[in-house]
């Protein structure tokens, strides 16, 4: 295609499409027609956020519907895929391996990708205002902005410190490289502290996967160093695998263990950072000094969602039948920003929530009864390049106003070395397949 | 055959297939399987498209990708799909990776719907041409793996 923004069917450009949509939507308003009155060929679905939830929504809506106009609003020109990014810390993969662009979504799936930041929603006019000054008129708005890393949730901590001397590295990017470099250049026999947050937060096993990888790095390069995990929880997902692996490889549970995990009950709950002495302070007043301090902060819904009245408290409430906002019509919220309990905040789940949403929107466009939701989460994690683990969850609709019905099964620690490796290979394979599924 | 398939072949041939997914230290929770099936009956079955799309993250978009060690579902014979999923549902024949635990809460009707959906699709060829890598790698993201 000579012009990658040019619509295959109509031959008009992205800007022209937007213009036409703006006008046609307005004219519906003048005619006093209800918002439901639009044909499937003129509907405009606008998506806030080009991460896993947003990109999946765009691509899968296009798979369902060749005609509908789809626009993603995303400030970045390329995206760093978060699943797998812990592997950048020991250098098993590079950040480049995780980078994707929106080229295929734009050209092959005919998605308008506007590189701008969504600012505010006018719910009455059904308009989304962008920071760059443009206004988009939508029939349906899908909001998938990811979480806010709430650095200030830890006293004395903030974004500037996370981008400087105390990297959180909890969305893949610059901080990930910074954390890696700090670990590599740490003095011999130094101490690394990881503070793991209270629930809910993105990718529950990630802090422990990260701890495992860091301990593997230390074993090779700095064997007298210590890794201290201070936890704001009393247990963690896959502890039935990680603790077994740590015992075997890092002496976990012994006095000279390289790796130590302190539960909330035992005083692991970090509440404060004292940057001047490079120490974290727990709720019982213990002071832990670290040469490298990696605080994974608590989370809440994205500031876009909070500022636009899509949240109640820290998270966005949705109807689990179709992930429509409980607070505003024709707006759907998916991914890390929602109050989704018992669904954990994983990319896998965000993508499957997005599939539920686009099916619901497409059913409505066709005047059909909207199909039941169904969500699978198949979470994989690794302890090292020789050990993988997995769990499976299903989430079924349980009725209006009810949480989804969850069934989960977490595989226990695998003793057979061959199987450990197969599970690790599956985890790695999944990252690549999933990335391709969302962005290619 | 690529290196991953070769590696998988050797690993699988050394450990055999007939192992239970239900190890002693497995953890299950939420609804029991029985409650899960009862809940499934209460509401209309999700569409074959939505059920099948749940597999995309591992098996590629609508089950069409053939990547390394996870096989495609698209194009699979309907009866073969049903047979495999039913085998996964019984503990003693379960696949030790994830399929055993994924298949267990899925109803027979849902399995049949997915089987019908995937049987109508075609898988991608194994060595499909990749899309151009047009990422721009910023300087801060460049790392020298050899430095270790």
């Amino acid at each position: 295609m000579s012009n990658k923004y040019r619509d295959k069917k109509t031959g008009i450009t992205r800007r022209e499409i937007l213009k036409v949509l703006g006008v046609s939507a307005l004219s519906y308003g003048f005619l006093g027609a209800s918002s439901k009155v639009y044909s499937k060929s003129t509907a405009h679905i606008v998506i806030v956020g080009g991460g896993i939830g947003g990109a999946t929504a765009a691509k899968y809506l296009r798979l369902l519907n060749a005609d509908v106009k789809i626009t993603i609003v995303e400030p970045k020109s390329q995206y760093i895929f978060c699943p797998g990014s812990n592997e950048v810390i020991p250098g098993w993969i590079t950040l480049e391996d995780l980078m994707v662009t929106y080229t295929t979504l734009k050209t092959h799936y005919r998605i308008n990708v506007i590189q701008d930041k969504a600012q505010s929603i006018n719910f009455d006019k059904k308009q989304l205002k962008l920071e760059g000054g443009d206004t988009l008129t939508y029939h349906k708005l899908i909001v998938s902005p990811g979480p806010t890393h709430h650095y200030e949730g830890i006293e004395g901590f903030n974004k500037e410190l996370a981008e400087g001397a105390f990297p959180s590295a909890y969305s893949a990017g610059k901080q990930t490289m910074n954390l890696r470099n700090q670990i590599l250049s740490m003095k011999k026999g130094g101490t690394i502290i990881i503070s793991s947050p209270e629930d809910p937060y993105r990718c529950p096993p990630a802090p422990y996967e990260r701890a495992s990888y860091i301990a593997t790095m230390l074993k090779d390069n700095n064997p007298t160093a210590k890794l201290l995990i201070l936890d704001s929880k009393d247990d963690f997902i896959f502890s039935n695998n990680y603790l077994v692996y740590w015992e075997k490889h890092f002496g976990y549970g012994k006095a000279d263990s390289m790796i130590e995990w302190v539960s909330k009950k035992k005083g692991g709950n970090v509440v404060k950072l004292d940057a001047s002495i490079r120490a974290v302070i727990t709720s019982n007043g213990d002071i832990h000094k670290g040469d490298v301090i990696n605080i994974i902060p608590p989370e809440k819904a994205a500031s876009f969602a909070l500022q636009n009245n899509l949240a109640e408290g820290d998270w966005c409430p949705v109807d689990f039948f179709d992930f429509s906002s409980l607070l505003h019509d024709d707006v759907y919220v998916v991914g890390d920003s929602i109050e989704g309990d018992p669904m954990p905040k994983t990319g896998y789940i965000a993508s499957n929530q997005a599939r539920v949403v686009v099916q619901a929107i497409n059913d409505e466009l066709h005047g059909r009864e909207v199909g039941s939701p169904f969500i699978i989460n198949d979470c994989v994690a690794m302890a090292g390049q020789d050990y993988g683990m997995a769990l499976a969850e299903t989430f079924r609709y349980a009725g209006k106003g009810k949480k989804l019905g969850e069934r989960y099964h977490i595989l226990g620690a695998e003793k057979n070395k061959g199987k450990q490796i197969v599970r690790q290979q599956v985890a790695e394979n999944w990252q690549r397949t999933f990335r391709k599924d969302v962005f290619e | 055959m690529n290196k991953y398939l070769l590696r998988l072949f050797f690993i699988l041939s050394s450990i055999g297939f007939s192992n239970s997914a239900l190890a002693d230290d497995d953890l299950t929770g939420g609804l029991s399987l029985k409650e899960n099936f009862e809940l499934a009956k209460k509401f209309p079955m999700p569409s074959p498209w939505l059920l099948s799309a749940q597999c995309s993250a591992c098996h590629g978009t609508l089950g069409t990708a053939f990547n390394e060690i996870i096989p495609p579902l698209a194009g699979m014979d309907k009866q073969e799909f049903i047979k495999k999923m039913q085998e996964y549902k019984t503990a003693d024949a379960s696949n030790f990776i994830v399929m055993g635990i994924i298949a267990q809460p899925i109803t027979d009707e849902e399995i049949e719907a997915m089987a019908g959906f995937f049987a109508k699709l075609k898988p991608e060829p194994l060595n499909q041409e990749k899309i151009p890598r047009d990422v721009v790698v910023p300087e801060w993201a460049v790392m020298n793996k050899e430095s270790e």
Side-chain angles (χ1 to χ4, degrees):
Chain A
M1 226 181 299
S2 57
N3 182 342
K4 59 186 175 185
Y5 298 114
R6 200 159 278 277
D7 188 282
K8 243 188 221 165
K9 290 203 159 171
T10 59
I12 60 172
T13 65
R14 185 185 69 178
R15 280 212 167 271
E16 287 161 351
I17 290 171
L18 293 180
K19 233 192 246 171
V20 170
L21 284 167
V23 170
S24 63
L26 267 181
S27 46
Y28 282 127
F30 288 135
L31 293 168
S34 103
S35 65
K36 299 267 191 257
V37 183
Y38 48 79
S39 77
K40 61 179 180 174
S41 59
T42 57
H44 186 203
I45 313 304
V46 175
I47 301 165
V48 174
I52 290 172
T56 307
K59 173 174 165 176
Y60 277 74
L61 181 56
R62 176 58 76 229
L63 291 176
L64 285 172
N65 191 315
D67 304 312
V68 71
K69 303 291 185 284
I70 307 168
T71 299
I72 293 178
V73 179
E74 164 60 47
K76 294 186 287 294
S77 62
Q78 54 188 26
Y79 179 75
I80 306 178
F81 208 68
C82 227
S85 60
N86 274 330
E87 288 161 63
V88 175
I89 297 168
W92 298 335
I93 60 168
T94 65
L95 273 181
E96 184 186 353
D97 295 332
L98 300 170
M99 288 179 183
V100 288
T101 66
Y102 296 94
T103 305
T104 311
L105 290 178
K106 288 182 199 168
T107 55
H108 188 70
Y109 295 97
R110 292 177 289 118
I111 315 289
N112 307 311
V113 181
I114 299 180
Q115 199 184 331
D116 202 339
K117 202 163 187 286
Q119 189 178 57
S120 59
I121 309 169
N122 183 326
F123 295 105
D124 296 328
K125 289 186 179 166
K126 295 173 68 169
Q127 286 179 336
L128 177 72
K129 193 162 180 262
L130 311 186
E131 283 189 359
D134 283 350
T135 297
L136 306 176
T137 302
Y138 62 82
H139 293 97
K140 300 283 185 186
L141 184 70
I142 304 173
V143 178
S144 180
T148 296
H149 300 299
H150 183 42
Y151 300 106
E152 292 77 10
I154 304 290
E155 191 188 335
F157 195 35
N158 57 47
K159 195 174 179 212
E160 288 65 41
L161 288 168
E163 284 170 354
F166 300 92
S168 288
Y170 216 61
S171 282
K174 260 187 193 175
Q175 293 187 28
T176 313
M177 293 303 288
N178 192 4
L179 179 60
R180 167 179 158 77
N181 293 331
Q182 284 194 9
I183 294 166
L184 288 176
S185 61
M186 185 177 74
K187 71 175 187 203
K188 294 294 163 207
T191 297
I192 298 173
I193 294 173
I194 296 176
S195 165
S196 186
E198 65 198 79
D199 287 318
Y201 62 97
R202 155 184 286 191
C203 194
Y208 313 95
E209 186 182 68
R210 165 176 298 182
S212 248
Y213 296 175
I214 291 174
T216 306
M217 287 170 87
L218 295 177
K219 206 175 169 185
D220 291 343
N221 302 320
N222 193 348
T224 55
K226 297 280 180 207
L227 173 60
L228 176 63
I229 307 164
L230 298 172
D231 212 322
S232 298
K233 302 178 291 299
D234 283 325
D235 194 6
F236 58 92
I237 192 81
F238 289 131
S239 59
N240 58 339
N241 282 262
Y242 279 114
L243 296 181
V244 174
Y245 189 88
W246 294 349
E247 200 182 317
K248 183 162 182 230
H249 292 270
F250 312 120
Y252 180 78
K254 295 195 185 116
D256 62 343
S257 173
M258 168 179 274
I259 190 165
E260 192 186 344
W261 173 69
V262 185
S263 67
K264 180 180 181 180
K265 223 184 290 173
K266 296 256 170 77
N269 185 23
V270 169
V271 293
K272 188 176 171 183
L273 168 71
D274 188 338
S276 64
I277 56 165
R278 292 199 74 88
V280 291
I281 296 141
T282 58
S283 53
N284 60 1
D286 287 349
I287 299 171
H288 299 273
K289 287 196 172 188
D291 298 286
V292 175
I293 294 179
N294 174 223
I295 299 171
I296 300 164
E299 292 177 11
K300 52 185 181 178
S303 50
F304 172 81
L306 295 169
Q307 285 158 13
N308 280 285
N309 190 27
L310 287 167
E312 266 174 1
D314 286 345
W315 306 103
C316 303
V318 295
D319 179 340
F320 294 116
F321 183 67
D322 58 2
F323 293 85
S324 56
S325 168
L326 290 181
L327 304 177
H328 298 282
D329 290 339
D330 297 313
V331 179
Y332 302 77
V333 191
V334 295
D336 295 342
S337 275
I338 71 165
E339 170 55 67
D341 182 62
M343 284 176 285
K345 300 186 185 300
T346 72
Y348 203 116
I349 284 189
S351 75
N352 280 339
Q353 290 168 347
R355 292 177 176 104
V356 170
V357 168
V358 297
Q359 175 181 263
I361 290 175
N362 189 55
D363 281 345
E364 195 183 305
L365 287 174
H366 285 83
R368 292 193 291 256
E369 198 177 326
V370 173
S372 298
F374 180 73
I375 286 177
I376 286 180
N377 179 41
D378 178 12
C379 181
V380 293
M382 288 155 55
Q385 286 177 297
D386 57 355
Y387 191 103
M389 57 201 92
L391 64 80
E393 288 175 288
T394 44
F395 299 93
R396 291 185 181 279
Y397 188 59
K400 191 92 185 152
K402 289 191 178 158
K403 293 177 177 183
L404 295 178
E406 176 201 32
R407 160 80 191 171
Y408 70 82
H409 190 141
I410 306 165
L411 293 174
E414 177 55 61
K415 288 173 191 75
N416 182 304
K417 253 190 123 37
K419 292 182 186 179
Q420 291 171 1
I421 292 171
V422 172
R423 283 187 187 163
Q424 185 274 341
Q425 292 279 297
V426 167
E428 270 195 8
N429 193 161
W430 168 77
Q431 289 162 12
R432 287 186 285 267
T433 312
F434 187 36
R435 199 159 65 229
K436 196 176 156 201
D437 173 43
V438 177
F439 286 96
E440 290 182 24
Chain B
M1 198 188 282
N2 71 25
K3 60 174 177 163
Y4 296 100
L5 289 173
L6 259 174
R7 191 170 168 188
L8 176 71
F9 176 77
F10 285 120
I11 292 167
L12 291 179
S13 50
S14 67
I15 57 185
F17 290 90
S18 61
N19 290 279
S20 168
L22 298 168
D24 293 342
D25 54 353
D26 280 16
L27 300 169
T28 60
L31 302 174
S32 68
L33 283 173
K34 188 166 169 273
E35 290 164 336
N36 160 76
F37 290 128
E38 281 166 6
L39 185 56
K41 271 190 228 151
K42 275 188 164 177
F43 298 95
M45 190 178 77
S47 73
W49 181 88
L50 185 64
L51 289 165
S52 307
Q54 300 299 308
C55 311
S56 295
C58 294
H59 293 274
T61 301
L62 299 176
T64 53
F66 195 153
N67 285 303
E68 301 151 31
I69 63 174
I70 304 175
L73 304 172
M76 194 185 272
D77 177 74
K78 187 176 172 184
Q79 292 311 319
E80 180 66 18
F81 183 94
I82 293 171
K83 186 168 162 269
K84 274 214 147 50
M85 288 290 277
Q86 291 297 348
E87 281 172 6
Y88 290 142
K89 280 175 84 163
T90 58
D92 61 343
S94 269
N95 177 293
F96 62 84
I97 303 170
V98 285
M99 280 317 299
I101 58 176
I102 287 176
Q104 280 169 3
I106 301 179
T107 69
D108 294 346
E109 294 75 20
E110 287 165 345
I111 288 174
E112 197 177 334
M114 292 159 92
F117 183 87
F118 286 127
K120 289 192 198 113
L121 300 178
K122 282 198 174 72
E124 287 175 358
L126 178 57
N127 290 315
Q128 198 207 11
E129 199 189 328
K130 292 259 180 225
I131 62 148
R133 286 283 292 166
D134 57 352
V135 296
V136 180
V137 184
E139 208 175 306
W140 55 260
V142 176
M143 67 186 186
N144 181 6
K145 280 210 243 185
E146 312 309 316
S147 67
E148 284 167 67

